[in-house]
Amino acid sequence: MDRGPLVPVPNAALARAPLEVWADSLLEEVPYELEDLRGDLLLECYAEPAVTDGTPPVYSRQVRLPGK
């Protein structure tokens, strides 16, 4: 899968919890939602909606997709 377009984190989600809590919750669901995929999934969150190469993420976490 390629990087694709950036998708904003819902404002309502950030009103209830910090970015790290929202992202960790999202990543807990991913293996069940993408159960037919195998490999690593990298989630990176940026402060700005338009990033350039070399812009460091404010949050980054990688999870393993078990695949079938």
Side-chain angles (χ1 to χ4, degrees):
M1 298 175 71
D2 77 39
R3 186 177 219 163
L6 298 177
V7 179
V9 175
N11 287 335
L14 295 178
R16 293 189 302 268
L19 174 65
E20 293 83 2
V21 172
W22 173 83
D24 288 343
S25 174
L26 178 71
L27 289 172
E28 284 178 15
E29 298 172 15
V30 166
Y32 307 105
E33 301 271 334
L34 302 174
E35 63 187 22
D36 56 332
L37 298 177
R38 183 179 315 181
D40 294 322
L41 175 70
L42 176 63
L43 174 68
E44 292 182 324
C45 299
Y46 296 88
E48 299 298 322
V51 298
T52 59
D53 286 340
T55 301
V58 294
Y59 176 87
S60 179
R61 182 166 164 216
Q62 189 167 327
V63 295
R64 187 90 174 132
L65 299 174
K68 286 189 172 180

